[in-house]
Amino acid sequence: MSDNLLTILEIMEGVLGESRNTLGADINEILLALISSDSLGGDTSKFVNYEQALQTVNQRKTQLTSAQKSAELEIQSRRAIEMFKEIEDWRQQNGFGGEITRVWWTARPNILLGALPDASPGNPTDVLYEIAGAGGNEYLGISAKSSKANKDIAFKNPGAGTIAKILNLNSKQIITSITSQAVKTMNLPVTAKDRKAMLKSLDETHPTRVQANQIGSQIENLLRDDLLKKFQQMPIQDVRQHLSKVWLDVEDAYPFYIKCLGYGLPSKSYGAQVFDPINNDKYKALMSQNISFEKSGQNSIGVKAGNQKIMKIRYKYESTKLATSMKLSGEPW
């Protein structure tokens, strides 16, 4: 690791904070951008929004101890280094082997559009490369993921309201009706903020917390069944379009992007994998095989194309049941 990158790590160590998951993701993405620009000779001017990236991180409230931040930086930097190696190998083998001339961290709203005004809406690029090509500059996006273990990359985590709007579901009515009834019968605080604080103050075995979790699980189950019914009623071509565009992001393809997973812990080996969101077996099966759905657990839908398991779609509360927003998670199956 170059002296320049070590200096940057020292700067970042003094300003990083917020939740552990978001913290790790941001560190990983920014370090990948830094390592990519560092490979150009240590000139951070090639990292176009370097100052903006550090400013974004600096705006957070520090919530980790110095020791925790040091450990997180070490883990994420090791993963990012492996990711860069894999991305470089992929570039050389897939027609993007030119010199990287500029790098952006694009994981915040409007940064990608600022770099490429004609970028597709919803493109999941976290780090953008400008690459010198024979016919002019080319662009390659990296959707970066960081994990403890080597596994398939999760697809997406949209809000329940977003999916309800796209598919014309009754999600809001289901959530509001049952939650309102629970608030009355259980004498819970009316506002979600107060309700969350009250429920979190209770032990998981407390009867009120147990009942709230049970009702929350009931809502998740009803939302799952409503979505499953919708999928089963949709023409197969509409299902293919929805899954590929909303969940796999394969229609939002400018700039062209790849997904890269960095993984490992100090007690385990570090490594990385590159996934092409279009040129892979799951997408090919989705576009060519019959699609089927099945219930999985109490709140999930398993999606198959032929005999190929494509993904699981799961309803879940953001944190506390009956008190936080409802989201969906597209996960490996």
Side-chain angles (χ1 to χ4, degrees):
M1 190 180 297
S2 72
D3 291 340
N4 182 58
L5 185 54
L6 287 171
T7 300
I8 293 169
L9 288 174
E10 290 170 0
I11 295 171
M12 292 178 67
E13 185 173 5
V15 299
L16 291 167
E18 209 184 48
S19 75
R20 196 66 178 269
N21 290 339
T22 304
L23 169 67
D26 284 351
I27 296 174
N28 181 259
E29 294 160 2
I30 293 173
L31 287 179
L32 177 59
L34 287 168
I35 291 167
S36 302
S37 61
D38 194 66
S39 71
L40 305 175
D43 183 0
T44 55
S45 67
K46 302 293 181 71
F47 186 168
V48 177
N49 61 332
Y50 166 68
E51 295 295 337
Q52 183 181 15
L54 290 186
Q55 181 181 8
T56 299
V57 176
N58 197 26
Q59 290 170 349
R60 300 168 178 270
K61 294 180 179 179
T62 302
Q63 294 184 355
L64 301 180
T65 66
S66 179
Q68 287 174 323
K69 283 182 287 188
S70 296
E72 193 72 41
L73 284 166
E74 171 65 18
I75 291 169
Q76 297 301 341
S77 63
R78 292 287 299 275
R79 292 177 189 170
I81 289 169
E82 296 301 319
M83 292 165 73
F84 178 68
K85 292 176 183 177
E86 289 297 312
I87 292 167
E88 286 300 283
D89 287 344
W90 186 93
R91 287 203 310 119
Q92 301 303 321
Q93 297 173 26
N94 290 274
F96 287 89
E99 177 190 355
I100 301 173
T101 54
R102 291 193 293 177
V103 178
W104 292 259
W105 178 51
T106 58
R108 289 296 179 270
N110 301 319
I111 297 178
L112 181 60
L113 287 175
L116 290 177
D118 51 348
S120 304
N123 189 297
T125 291
D126 297 309
V127 176
L128 178 67
Y129 289 174
E130 180 186 71
I131 300 170
N137 290 334
E138 300 176 316
Y139 295 90
L140 175 65
I142 314 297
S143 177
K145 305 295 179 184
S146 180
S147 174
K148 295 179 181 178
N150 182 9
K151 60 182 181 179
D152 285 347
I153 296 176
F155 302 108
K156 222 170 185 180
N157 297 100
T162 298
I163 299 302
K165 184 176 181 180
I166 292 172
L167 296 178
N168 193 27
L169 300 172
N170 296 319
S171 303
K172 184 177 181 180
Q173 180 180 349
I174 293 171
I175 296 169
T176 301
S177 175
I178 299 178
T179 302
S180 297
Q181 184 63 32
V183 168
K184 292 178 182 178
T185 59
M186 297 176 63
N187 196 29
L188 298 174
V190 174
T191 68
K193 181 179 179 181
D194 291 341
R195 195 157 61 246
K196 178 181 178 181
M198 180 263 197
L199 290 171
K200 288 191 69 174
S201 70
L202 302 176
D203 186 86
E204 286 285 350
T205 61
H206 190 284
T208 299
R209 186 71 182 268
V210 171
Q211 187 177 1
N213 286 339
Q214 290 172 342
I215 296 173
S217 295
Q218 177 191 359
I219 293 174
E220 293 172 343
N221 180 263
L222 290 171
L223 294 176
R224 186 278 305 275
D225 289 350
D226 192 38
L227 178 59
L228 176 61
K229 181 179 178 181
K230 182 69 175 184
F231 279 154
Q232 292 171 334
Q233 293 174 342
M234 291 169 64
I236 188 169
Q237 197 56 41
D238 290 348
V239 171
R240 284 196 179 106
Q241 182 180 27
H242 173 78
L243 293 174
S244 62
K245 182 177 181 179
V246 176
W247 293 97
L248 303 183
D249 291 320
V250 295
E251 292 192 3
D252 296 322
Y254 185 75
F256 180 84
Y257 70 93
I258 54 176
K259 296 183 178 182
C260 186
L261 169 68
Y263 58 87
L265 289 170
S267 59
K268 300 179 181 179
S269 60
Y270 290 92
Q273 278 196 72
V274 168
F275 302 79
D276 184 332
I278 295 178
N279 186 26
N280 65 71
D281 292 340
K282 288 185 177 182
Y283 179 68
K284 290 175 182 176
L286 185 66
M287 292 296 107
S288 61
Q289 302 293 319
N290 184 50
I291 299 173
S292 61
F293 305 94
E294 61 184 68
K295 293 183 181 181
S296 177
Q298 293 297 310
N299 59 356
S300 301
I301 298 171
V303 182
K304 278 186 177 180
N307 294 321
Q308 174 88 328
K309 290 182 176 181
I310 303 300
M311 63 186 298
K312 279 201 307 185
I313 296 175
R314 177 167 66 101
Y315 276 96
K316 61 179 182 178
Y317 282 89
E318 187 174 19
S319 58
T320 308
K321 291 183 178 181
L322 295 190
T324 57
S325 61
M326 183 74 73
K327 304 179 76 67
L328 292 95
S329 176
E331 303 169 348
W333 182 27

